[in-house]
């Protein structure tokens, strides 16, 4: 069975890739409703911080703290240190990750701080990232700060 929320994050990743960007997508879900969705727009908008998770949070808008605590964040790739910091800052309680093979982010920090972390090991997410990294390694290295 396909998870509709994860599929929405994957759709965002595909959209970012089609725009010439980094194929990472994310959605913020509260009580079965997508509040915000986004994808990595560092290339498209020339932004140093507009990762997929950050874009989804931005598109969700300002929310009460209680709402964030009840949210699930879906992301196609293991969250980097910056996105992990935002997850912790807003107290998001659960993160569902498409894959962590091409990049292992700060999952252990999330777990250590009480966030439930689920890794789906999704084949399409891995294929998108491998293709992107193979075709544009310089953009990937820039995105992860190398």
């Amino acid at each position: 069975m396909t998870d509709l929320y994860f599929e929405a994050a994957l759709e965002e990743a595909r959209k970012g890739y089609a725009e010439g960007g980094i194929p990472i997508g994310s959605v913020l879900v509260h009580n079965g409703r997508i509040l915000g969705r986004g994808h990595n727009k560092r290339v498209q908008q020339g932004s140093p911080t507009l990762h997929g998770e950050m874009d989804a949070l931005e598109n969700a808008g300002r929310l009460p703290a209680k709402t964030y605590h009840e949210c699930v964040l879906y992301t196609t790739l293991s969250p980097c240190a910056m996105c992990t910091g935002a997850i912790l800052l807003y107290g998001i309680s659960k993160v569902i990750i498409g894959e962590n093979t091409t990049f292992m982010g700060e999952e252990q920090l999330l777990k250590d701080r009480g966030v439930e972390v689920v890794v789906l090991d999704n084949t399409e997410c891995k294929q998108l990232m491998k293709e992107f990294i193979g075709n544009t390694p310089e953009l990937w290295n820039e995105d992860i700060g190398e």
Side-chain angles (χ1 to χ4, degrees):
M1 185 167 106
T2 301
D3 182 318
L4 296 176
Y5 307 118
F6 178 70
E7 185 57 39
L10 191 50
E11 182 181 300
E12 287 291 327
R14 292 181 200 117
K15 183 177 179 182
Y17 196 35
E19 295 170 353
I22 299 158
I24 302 168
S26 184
V27 295
L28 184 67
V29 177
H30 180 256
N31 291 336
R33 186 172 148 245
I34 295 176
L35 298 181
R37 54 189 301 151
H39 54 275
N40 188 304
K41 293 179 182 163
R42 291 185 72 250
V43 173
Q44 300 92 313
Q45 293 190 11
S47 168
T49 58
L50 206 47
H51 286 195
E53 299 90 337
M54 303 301 273
D55 192 37
L57 287 168
E58 177 72 21
N59 290 328
R62 191 170 143 204
L63 303 169
K66 182 182 185 306
T67 302
Y68 289 112
H69 300 172
E70 297 169 346
C71 281
V72 177
L73 183 77
Y74 288 76
T75 181
T76 58
L77 186 67
S78 185
C80 72
M82 177 179 66
C83 296
T84 293
I87 292 163
L88 295 174
L89 176 66
Y90 291 109
I92 295 168
S93 60
K94 184 174 183 177
V95 178
I96 298 179
I97 299 166
E99 67 104 350
N100 61 7
T101 303
T102 57
F103 177 77
M104 172 59 79
E106 300 295 331
E107 292 175 30
Q108 192 57 53
L109 177 58
L110 290 170
K111 291 175 187 176
D112 290 347
R113 295 285 294 274
V115 177
E116 182 182 351
V117 175
V118 176
V119 179
L120 301 177
D121 197 35
N122 181 272
T123 302
E124 185 176 352
C125 288
K126 288 189 275 190
Q127 288 171 338
L128 269 172
M129 286 306 300
K130 285 179 184 176
E131 182 178 319
F132 171 77
I133 293 168
N135 291 338
T136 54
E138 68 288 346
L139 278 179
W140 174 239
N141 289 336
E142 177 188 318
D143 194 63
I144 59 172
E146 289 186 6

